[in-house]
Amino acid sequence: ELHGCEVEEGTTLQVAIDIRPTGRVRRVELEPRQEGTVTRCVTRAVRRLRFPEFTGEAMSINWNVSW
């Protein structure tokens, strides 16, 4: 789904993701910042991801995605 977003070829984004213990994505931030259309597309795609449930506090991960 991410590669359907219209990001300039050769771009690498660092996607910061906060994940709730339920496995659902709570927060998404992109670096470097992108135009609104790209930010919405990437954020929407990442928010659809589901991770395995876990116990404890929410966790944060950084994910580098390249086009």
Side-chain angles (χ1 to χ4, degrees), residues 23-66:
R24 298 186 73 115
V25 174
R26 177 173 66 186
R27 181 185 64 88
V28 178
E29 289 187 13
L30 307 178
E31 286 294 330
R33 294 200 180 276
Q34 300 294 303
E35 65 178 72
T37 305
V38 171
T39 297
R40 281 190 298 277
C41 182
V42 173
T43 298
R44 194 173 300 131
V46 172
R47 284 191 170 275
R48 287 188 199 121
L49 297 174
R50 295 296 176 260
F51 295 87
E53 290 185 19
F54 57 92
T55 57
E57 300 291 317
M59 66 171 59
S60 299
I61 61 171
N62 290 315
W63 182 27
N64 292 324
V65 183
S66 298

